[in-house]
Amino acid sequence: MPGSELFGQEEKKEVMDVLETGILFRYNHEAQRNDIWKAKTFEQEFAAYYGVKHCHMCSSGTTADDITLAACGVGVGDEVIVPPFTYIAPIEAVLKSGAKPVFAEIDDTLCLSPEGIEAVITPKTKALMLIHMCGAMAKIEEIVAICKKHNILLIEDAAQAIGATFNGKKIGTFGDIACYSFDFFKTITAGEGGAITTNNDTLYEKSHMYADHGHDHIGTNRGAEGHPILGTNYRISELHAAVALAQFRKLPTILENQRKNKSIIKQKLERIGEIKFRHLPDQAGDNASFLSFFMPDIQSTQKLLEISNEKGLGLIYWYDNNFHYLKNWDHLKQLSTAYPLAIDKAEWTNYMSQLELPKTNDLMSRMICIGIKIKWPENEIAPFADQLVQAVKESVSVTV
Ligand SMILES: *Cc1c(COP(=O)(O)O)cnc(C)c1O
C-alpha cells in the first residue's frame, strides 16, 4: 500500500546526490549543481512512463489539485463536479479557486458514475474533478464522452491510482490534465510531494508558472525571468524529488507485489456468494493497493466491523471515516473557513442541507476496504485471508 514499506539504499543514494552539491532548489545554480536535477529527472521519467508530453512536480497532491484548476481557468462563477467519496483535498481546492463544488452520485466503481455526472451538469459546469479512488478506475470511457459532449474540462485526480490502467492506457492520461500525490501514505512517497501531467502545452505552461510565482523558467538567470501570470509557491525541493525518484523506479515492483497479494485474498473471498466486489472496469489495470467489497446490508456490515475490532483485522469502513466521506464533513457543510470565500455561505449551506445522494449512501454504508501491503509475508497473508473469510461468513449469517 504505501511505498514507505520499501525505503532503502536507493532513496538514500538519491538524497545524498543532492546533499553533496548542497543545491536543494530545483531551478538554476547550473555551476554548482554538478548536473544533479532530481525534480527534472523525475518529470522526464514520469512523463515517459505515462506516455505524455509534460509532467510538473509540485509540493503535494493538494497543490497539484490547485494547479490543475488554475491551469484550467476555473474560478469565481464556475461549477466543478466532484465526488462525495474522496480525500477532501480536491474539494478544498475547488472552494479556494472560487468555484462551487457540485456533488454527484458514485457507483459500484467507488468513483463518480456517468449517470450521476450527467444529472448535475448545468451551463456553469466548467470542469469535472474525477477521482480514481482506492487504486482503480472510474468508467473512464463513458465519462470522457460526457465531458466531450458537454464541453467540460476533465481533471483526473490519480493520487490514489498511480500505475493503474484502463485497457492498457494509464489512468491520468484520459482527461485534459491529471494530478498525483506522493504524501507519506501513498503508493510512492516522498514524505510530501505531488505532480501534474498533461499533453496540452498551454495547460503545462500555466501549471509550472502558477506553481512558481508566475516565473516563465526561460534562460538561466532567475532574476531576469518574465512573469506572464501571478502565481504562488508550490515548488518541490530537490530532497523530496530525490526520494520520489527512487520510489518511482520501484513502482513496477510495488504493483507486482500488490497484485499478487491482493489476488491471494480475493480468491478466498470469492467463494462467499453473499458479498459483491467493487466493480473494476478493467480488472487487469487495478493498481491493487486496496481490496473493496460490499456486504449485503448494514446489519452484516456492522457485525463484520465488530469482529474486525475484536480480532484486529484492520478493516477500513470509509462510511464512518471523517476525512474521506461527505457525510462526516461538518466543517464543509457549514463552510467553516479561516477567511471568507468567493462562494456565498448562505447559498452553500442551503445547497448542502438539501443535497441527497441515496445511491452513494447505500453503497458507502455497506462497503468494506482492506489495504494491501506491498511486503506481506506469505506465512501471514494466508492466515489473514482465512480469518477474514471466517469473519465475513459469520457476519452474513446474521441476516441471511
Ligand atoms: C492524498 C490525496 C490528495 C492530496 O495529496 P497530498 O499530497 O496529501 O496533499 C488529493 N487527492 C486524493 C484523491 C488523495 O488521495
Side-chain angles (χ1 to χ4, degrees), residues 243-262:
V243 180
L245 184 59
Q247 283 267 299
F248 174 57
R249 289 172 177 163
K250 294 178 180 177
L251 184 58
T253 312
I254 293 174
L255 295 177
E256 193 186 313
N257 279 291
Q258 286 183 167
R259 286 171 176 156
K260 186 181 83 209
N261 291 340
K262 178 168 174 174

Side-chain angles (χ1 to χ4, degrees), residues 65-82 90-91 93-101 124-129 152-155 177 203 206 210 342:
D65 285 326
D66 236 342
I67 291 168
T68 57
L69 289 161
C72 287
V74 171
V76 179
D78 295 328
E79 292 181 357
V80 179
I81 300 172
V82 294
I91 293 167
V94 172
L95 284 168
K96 197 156 164 278
S97 78
K100 179 185 173 185
K124 289 184 179 175
T125 309
K126 175 109 175 200
L128 165 63
M129 188 54 107
I152 296 169
L153 288 157
L154 175 54
I155 302 170
I177 191 163
L203 294 183
K206 285 195 185 145
Y210 176 73

Side-chain angles (χ1 to χ4, degrees), residues 325-397:
Y325 185 42
L326 176 64
K327 172 171 88 67
N328 310 310
W329 293 337
D330 288 337
H331 58 331
L332 176 70
K333 291 178 194 168
Q334 290 151 17
L335 210 63
S336 307
T337 55
Y339 60 94
L341 299 175
I343 190 166
D344 183 80
K345 191 163 175 167
E347 218 177 282
W348 174 260
T349 45
N350 187 41
Y351 164 70
M352 289 307 284
S353 67
Q354 288 177 15
L355 181 66
E356 279 181 25
L357 299 161
K359 284 188 187 134
T360 300
N361 201 61
D362 169 58
L363 288 165
M364 292 299 298
S365 69
R366 298 182 289 112
M367 198 253 289
I368 296 289
C369 195
I370 303 158
I372 303 297
K373 290 179 220 162
I374 303 166
K375 285 173 151 179
W376 211 335
E378 272 183 38
N379 62 349
E380 282 177 27
I381 191 164
F384 167 81
D386 290 335
Q387 258 192 317
L388 177 65
V389 166
Q390 193 51 41
V392 174
K393 278 188 180 157
E394 202 178 316
S395 307
V396 294
S397 71

Side-chain angles (χ1 to χ4, degrees), residues 23 38 40 90 175 319 325:
I23 305 302
K38 296 305 178 189
K40 210 191 270 188
Y319 189 62
Y325 185 42

Side-chain angles (χ1 to χ4, degrees), residues 60-62 65 86-87 89-90 131 157 159-160 181-183 186 192-193:
S60 70
T62 302
D65 285 326
T86 169
Y87 188 56
I131 291 132
D157 182 333
Q160 297 191 12
S181 161
F182 315 126
D183 82 21
K186 295 298 202 281
E192 300 285 358

